[in-house]
Amino acid sequence: MFDKIYKPNVVRFALNIWPPFWGAGIKIISISDDFRQVKMRLKLRWWNKNANRTQYGGSMFSLTDPVYALMLMGILGPKYYVWDKEASINFIKPGGTDLYADFELSQQQLDEIWALTSTGEKCFPEFVVHVKDRSGEVVAEVERKLYIRKKPQHREA
């Protein structure tokens, strides 16, 4: 059942109409067929501007949540727990335009996750996302740490 529902186009559609994303002006532009690449946009709207008339920091942070977890859920499938564990954001400069974030998972990262979780152990991979403005300049750097573990019924005895 999971494999029939959890497909890139379905996930993209569902999240693009999900009120927290839609209301914040967040849109998934694309998800690759293998869930290894996601492109997102945060539209600058009058209701998500801060007092300085630039992008609200909370919306910038939301742009990166929960993308890596959703990507890994699509790759690892229903045998795994995949949760966001912690995150931090470093605001580098004001975001005065629409903002963009690209997420990518390499084969090396996936191999490491599979190796660390193959016997049922917990894994805490860390990822860095750069939020960029329309001209490609970095406006924020977000670090995210995930929790990944096989579900009990799929762990080795």
Side-chain angles (χ1 to χ4, degrees):
M1 176 84 172
F2 177 87
D3 294 338
K4 292 180 181 177
I5 295 172
Y6 206 86
K7 297 201 176 292
N9 287 337
V10 174
V11 171
R12 183 173 56 82
F13 175 78
L15 288 175
N16 281 340
I17 63 169
W18 187 43
F21 272 14
W22 179 83
I26 296 169
K27 183 175 184 174
I28 298 175
I29 298 168
S30 66
I31 303 177
S32 66
D33 289 340
D34 60 3
F35 281 102
R36 291 183 186 209
Q37 295 180 337
V38 174
K39 294 183 181 300
M40 308 272 294
R41 180 187 73 220
L42 171 60
K43 193 150 185 66
L44 181 62
R45 296 181 172 158
W46 66 267
W47 65 80
N48 66 358
K49 289 182 182 178
N50 61 25
N52 295 308
R53 305 181 91 34
T54 60
Q55 288 280 11
Y56 171 63
S59 296
M60 292 167 62
F61 198 58
S62 293
L63 176 65
T64 69
D65 179 33
V67 182
Y68 275 116
L70 294 171
M71 292 168 74
L72 285 161
M73 287 170 63
I75 293 168
L76 299 173
K79 294 181 180 182
Y80 285 82
Y81 292 121
V82 182
W83 293 313
D84 276 308
K85 182 168 175 41
E86 62 185 69
S88 65
I89 188 166
N90 177 22
F91 297 105
I92 297 169
K93 67 176 255 183
T97 68
D98 289 357
L99 300 179
Y100 302 87
D102 293 340
F103 303 80
E104 206 166 318
L105 291 168
S106 69
Q107 186 62 48
Q108 180 181 347
Q109 289 169 313
L110 295 172
D111 289 344
E112 192 172 304
I113 290 167
W114 280 313
L116 292 170
T117 60
S118 66
T119 60
E121 296 301 313
K122 300 173 189 173
C123 174
F124 303 101
E126 296 184 28
F127 305 96
V128 175
V129 181
H130 292 103
V131 178
K132 299 177 180 180
D133 64 14
R134 192 176 289 143
S135 66
E137 290 189 51
V138 175
V139 300
E141 182 177 83
V142 181
E143 295 181 24
R144 301 198 80 71
K145 181 188 280 189
L146 274 58
Y147 167 99
I148 302 172
R149 189 174 192 187
K150 278 187 179 177
K151 293 179 179 176
Q153 64 270 34
H154 300 289
R155 296 179 196 156
E156 294 179 5

